Amino acid sequence: MSNGPAAPANETAHITNFIRNAIDADLAKGKYAQRTWGGAPGPAEKHLNQPRDSANIRTRFPPEPNGYLHFGHAKSILLNFGLAKDYGGICHLRFDDTNPEKEEQEFVDSIIDAMLWLGCDWNANGTEHLYFASDYFDWMYDFAETLIEHGDAYVDSQSAEEMRANRGTLTEPGKNSPFRDRSVDENLTLFREMRDGKHAEGSHVLRAKIDMASGNINLRDPAIYRVKHAHHHRAGDKWHIYPMYTYAHPIEDALENITHSICTLEFEDQRPFYDWLLEKLAQHGKLQRPLPQQIEFSRLNLTYIITSKRYLKQLVDEKHVEGWDDPRMPTLVGARRRGYTPAGFQLMADRVGVSKQNSWIEFTVLEDCMREVMNESCERRVAVLDPLKLIVTNYPEDQSEECLAPNHPLKAELGKRAMPFSRELWIEREDFQEVPAKGYFRLFPGNQVRLKYGFVVKCTGCEKDAAGNVIAVHCEYSPDSKSGTPGADNYKTKGVIHWVSAAHAYTCEVRLFDRLFKTPHPGKESGNYLADLNPNSKQVITAQLEPSLKSSKPEDRFQFERHGYFVADRKDSKDGAPVFNRAVTLRDAWKV
Ligand code: ATP
Ligand code: MG
């Protein structure tokens, strides 16, 4: 059976929903129990007299390889693979590559990569259920001839304008094409000539013959094949006609034995054609019953991001970001570099659920899911992002010692690590105030604080440069106050600050990312989404990290205490010299 993405530890309950209800009802009736499976996709004859399909249900994720996957796709992916896993089914990855001009191998590779990262597995019982719709072109063509032979399709030679004019409107019926009653022979001849490249683009289309007066415009003899003299990334120059998406998609589902074809709401009006087409092809003996059924759900809309491929491409092309995998991009390759986790996406998918209502989800919902998952899974480390020197004047210059810090406050089993302590330390600039504000408990002259996992120190003053900027803080430590020793309890301090030994620190590039857009609906008010770019979405700093971080491997994630969750960048990190990206802060800084 296929393995969907691993469920996060803290949220496995599946709230039932209308899709699950439909599947439950189908399984209870045994609707799909008798289906057979010929080992690979194909028409009825291929599945005939073959063993029962071992998959209780089959779902699919059908991306068009014309761009990178984004956060919205993650929802659809996790839904389809998750359902297959829960019901003892199989989810196929199918590239919907029937449109010859826009598709590229680069996108195929990146989609596979992103889906593997999300934890999807399309292997089951030794078969890889990875398919390309373009591999079905011969069957699609054969089915079209079948429709023609049965009087269910005809070649229309009206111009595009005539066709548009005769389509009618929502309130008026359409008009029959003058070519609607062509004989089967004439239709077949013309269609074969179209196939053989004998006709110009736009001169003829093949249309399903349904009802020009239908209340559903999608049933007014929709086009199913068009002439296109285009090179296809897999099929080469074999074809001069290409199927329309609305014709191709139901057939792809049926050839693959898909039981539940889950798609977004905008396809709801296409469902009658989906059913009409598959019913005809089943009647004509081309497809096995029971036929797949289309079920629609609302797409994921998140505030503060855009997912339109055109706009994302513009961001890349005009260099508003550094590429499709820029950690600020709402692409899955971007999310991966950013440090977001597959489990975080799964948690969000579970939390948001599925519905029939289009709505907006706050971006914080995604961020909170990432925080929750990483709070649980990430080890803690210490990093000073805005370093200021702290000199422990009564600590010997040539000495150092180890302090023990737990790797996870809630998971003792993850053990402790040693952090070197010495006379000169780095602390955060904001942890010292020469003249303390009201309620400030951290370092100021005369005050005592605990250096977390280390000693209690008392501030004795500071050094300044000619311009009056503080360049170092001085303090004295109490040797009997070390954390973890019996003396530690004798000290009570209100302030606790973190630190890194200057002599041992790993000086490191750290990128602090924030939202790419500063408004929840980019472009909505301003009319131009580029005007809503957040000018401070990326800040590069030089930070001082505890030495153990130097050996981090790409994609190692940590909580930097007090700062947030960080990942060693998978692209720019070198062996022994990782650079870190901030995935998300500890708390939501955008809350009003
Ligand atoms: P296009 O604008 O090119 O159609 P697309 O985002 O629909 O782009 P596809 O590759 O066609 O991209 O989408 C693959 C699958 O992902 C489809 O089944 C689609 O319904 C689903 N999908 C796309 N966007 C979302 C979204 N925001 N939420 C949920 N599912 C989505
Ligand atoms: Mg699409």
Side-chain angles (χ1 to χ4, degrees):
M1 288 298 107
S2 89
N3 292 314
N10 52 351
E11 204 150 329
T12 49
H14 286 294
I15 300 155
T16 190
N17 58 49
F18 66 95
I19 299 179
R20 288 176 173 272
N21 291 343
I23 296 174
D24 288 336
D26 290 339
L27 292 180
K29 279 188 298 205
K31 179 172 173 188
Y32 295 102
Q34 304 303 318
R35 286 172 319 143
T36 54
W37 172 247
E45 63 187 31
K46 180 149 179 119
H47 298 301
L48 200 70
N49 300 323
Q50 294 293 321
R52 289 266 172 80
D53 192 340
S54 66
N56 291 333
I57 62 168
R58 283 183 192 259
T59 55
R60 85 288 172 265
F61 177 68
E64 214 181 315
N66 64 354
Y68 288 81
L69 296 180
H70 55 64
F71 294 2
H73 291 123
K75 176 171 179 182
S76 179
I77 292 167
L78 295 171
L79 176 64
N80 279 294
F81 279 86
L83 287 170
K85 185 184 181 201
D86 289 354
Y87 282 98
I90 296 173
C91 185
H92 298 184
L93 168 55
R94 178 206 309 150
F95 287 101
D96 211 328
D97 60 348
T98 53
N99 190 356
E101 277 148 351
K102 298 188 295 183
E103 291 146 5
E104 286 175 39
Q105 188 61 35
E106 174 197 350
F107 298 129
V108 170
D109 296 340
S110 92
I111 288 170
I112 290 179
D113 228 42
M115 291 184 60
L116 290 173
W117 175 71
L118 272 184
C120 299
D121 181 0
W122 41 88
N123 293 287
N125 311 324
T127 305
E128 191 184 21
H129 296 281
L130 168 63
Y131 301 114
F132 289 85
S134 57
D135 291 349
Y136 310 149
F137 279 160
D138 284 328
W139 287 315
M140 291 178 189
Y141 177 82
D142 173 59
F143 293 0
E145 286 209 351
T146 301
L147 292 175
I148 292 172
E149 283 161 9
H150 287 84
D152 293 324
Y154 63 98
V155 174
D156 194 358
S157 310
Q158 296 182 100
S159 67
E161 295 79 61
E162 286 167 330
M163 248 185 273
R164 212 172 299 125
N166 289 335
R167 193 186 297 139
T169 64
L170 286 174
T171 49
E172 282 169 56
K175 289 196 197 75
N176 283 355
S177 163
F179 304 99
R180 200 170 193 264
D181 294 319
R182 275 178 164 150
S183 69
V184 167
D185 282 346
E186 192 184 352
N187 278 321
L188 270 183
T189 305
L190 275 169
F191 187 51
R192 287 174 186 165
E193 287 172 6
M194 286 162 64
R195 175 196 62 191
D196 297 337
K198 300 213 169 104
H199 292 285
E201 291 187 10
S203 58
H204 307 281
V205 292
L206 185 70
R207 296 178 76 174
K209 194 172 185 175
I210 310 178
D211 178 8
M212 286 306 291
S214 172
N216 182 340
I217 291 187
N218 298 301
L219 292 181
R220 294 183 189 170
D221 294 6
I224 60 179
Y225 260 99
R226 64 201 189 287
V227 176
K228 211 166 212 183
H229 304 287
H231 181 86
H232 187 278
H233 80 130
R234 284 170 66 87
D237 297 313
K238 175 172 173 185
W239 296 94
H240 296 276
I241 53 173
Y242 287 91
M244 306 299 286
Y245 177 84
T246 47
Y247 173 78
H249 201 91
I251 293 177
E252 293 158 22
D253 286 343
L255 294 170
E256 292 180 18
N257 261 17
I258 300 304
T259 55
H260 301 85
S261 175
I262 298 162
C263 64
T264 42
L265 275 182
E266 65 273 22
F267 293 102
E268 200 165 13
D269 290 347
Q270 292 288 353
R271 187 171 3 117
F273 179 65
Y274 185 104
D275 292 338
W276 179 92
L277 176 64
L278 296 186
E279 182 56 37
K280 287 287 176 198
L281 293 170
Q283 280 172 18
H284 305 327
K286 292 293 175 182
L287 296 176
Q288 175 181 221
R289 293 182 191 273
L291 295 164
Q293 57 177 313
Q294 176 179 306
I295 304 179
E296 309 88 15
F297 74 106
S298 64
R299 58 174 46 231
L300 174 66
N301 298 310
L302 277 175
T303 58
Y304 291 97
I305 65 165
I306 51 168
T307 52
S308 151
K309 277 173 195 159
R310 192 160 57 90
Y311 289 163
L312 294 177
K313 189 170 181 316
Q314 191 183 10
L315 289 176
V316 174
D317 290 347
E318 295 180 7
K319 303 210 167 18
H320 300 289
V321 293
E322 288 155 36
W324 288 97
D325 64 350
D326 186 301
R328 293 165 294 177
M329 286 285 273
T331 53
L332 294 182
V333 274
R336 181 170 179 181
R337 276 190 72 197
R338 173 79 174 251
Y340 284 4
T341 66
F345 280 108
Q346 179 72 59
L347 184 56
M348 181 184 66
D350 291 345
R351 221 164 249 182
V352 170
V354 293
S355 82
K356 284 260 186 200
Q357 258 74 52
N358 273 319
S359 64
W360 286 88
I361 302 296
E362 291 295 330
F363 195 70
T364 44
V365 172
L366 176 62
E367 290 179 316
D368 282 342
C369 289
M370 295 301 163
R371 286 187 185 103
E372 273 182 55
V373 163
M374 287 195 267
N375 181 39
E376 177 84 19
S377 62
C378 288
E379 291 198 1
R380 273 49 170 173
R381 293 292 183 270
V382 178
V384 175
L385 302 187
D386 186 12
L388 174 65
K389 206 45 107 37
L390 177 69
I391 301 170
V392 188
T393 52
N394 63 339
Y395 195 87
E397 263 180 61
D398 51 0
Q399 194 176 309
S400 75
E401 66 191 277
E402 290 184 340
C403 295
L404 289 180
N407 287 323
H408 197 294
L410 304 171
K411 297 184 178 177
E413 67 277 16
L414 293 178
K416 293 183 176 187
R417 66 192 188 285
M419 294 208 317
F421 181 89
S422 66
R423 179 183 162 91
E424 294 201 2
L425 311 172
W426 293 112
I427 59 168
E428 297 291 345
R429 189 162 286 277
E430 63 164 34
D431 286 344
F432 172 74
Q433 287 187 358
E434 194 179 11
V435 182
K438 194 160 173 281
Y440 188 83
F441 298 122
R442 286 168 273 169
L443 278 176
F444 56 85
N447 195 38
Q448 270 195 339
V449 301
R450 174 167 291 283
L451 299 175
K452 200 171 185 190
Y453 313 126
F455 297 91
V456 168
V457 295
K458 181 173 188 171
C459 182
T460 53
C462 66
E463 285 172 42
K464 293 185 191 174
D465 64 11
N469 301 309
V470 175
I471 51 171
V473 176
H474 288 198
C475 69
E476 288 177 356
Y477 87 121
S478 304
D480 62 346
S481 67
K482 192 172 184 178
S483 294
T485 65
D489 294 339
N490 298 332
Y491 293 83
K492 293 276 170 280
T493 65
K494 276 195 172 170
V496 180
I497 66 172
H498 67 271
W499 53 276
V500 168
S501 163
H504 304 86
Y506 168 44
T507 305
C508 175
E509 177 181 321
V510 172
R511 295 84 170 258
L512 305 178
F513 294 108
D514 201 347
R515 295 179 189 174
L516 187 55
F517 292 98
K518 57 188 181 198
T519 53
H521 302 284
K524 192 176 172 197
E525 308 268 291
S526 61
N528 171 13
Y529 77 100
L530 292 176
D532 294 340
L533 281 167
N534 173 6
N536 302 315
S537 60
K538 178 179 181 182
Q539 196 191 341
V540 181
I541 60 170
T542 301
Q544 300 292 344
L545 313 185
E546 68 165 273
S548 70
L549 286 167
K550 198 171 180 352
S551 55
S552 306
K553 299 280 167 275
E555 297 198 81
D556 280 353
R557 291 187 189 84
F558 301 97
Q559 184 197 96
F560 288 177
E561 291 192 31
R562 290 171 71 197
H563 291 305
Y565 298 94
F566 290 73
V567 67
D569 190 288
R570 63 191 288 248
K571 200 163 173 180
D572 300 334
S573 292
K574 306 258 174 329
D575 220 18
V579 299
F580 284 89
N581 298 332
R582 182 172 70 197
V584 63
T585 53
L586 281 188
R587 264 167 242 91
D588 181 11
W590 285 71
K591 236 171 219 148
V592 278

